[in-house]
Amino acid sequence: MGMNKNTVLAYATWIMIFVGLGMIALGAFKYDEVAGYGFAAVGIGFFAVAWVFNALKGRV
């Protein structure tokens, strides 16, 4: 299976989106204390990095 750099960035983008959704879900449903805000903030950070990975496709 030959993977070029765009395929790797696409997989990395999807993985970051799923991990970000998981972190936000942990913050929303599991932790009711201040830790929930931290988990949600990290999940949003994962979305930001996934957005950058998506923007880099075709440019690197």
Side-chain angles (χ1 to χ4, degrees):
M1 177 175 155
M3 291 178 44
N4 59 8
K5 55 193 167 195
N6 288 331
T7 307
V8 171
L9 283 172
Y11 280 129
T13 300
W14 281 109
I15 291 169
M16 295 292 280
I17 288 172
F18 290 136
V19 171
L21 284 173
M23 296 292 280
I24 291 173
L26 277 174
F29 299 119
K30 181 162 177 34
Y31 295 105
D32 294 332
E33 302 88 22
V34 178
Y37 296 120
F39 273 98
V42 171
I44 293 171
F46 270 90
F47 281 161
V49 174
W51 183 20
V52 169
F53 283 167
N54 193 27
L56 285 175
K57 283 193 306 189
R59 299 181 194 272
V60 177

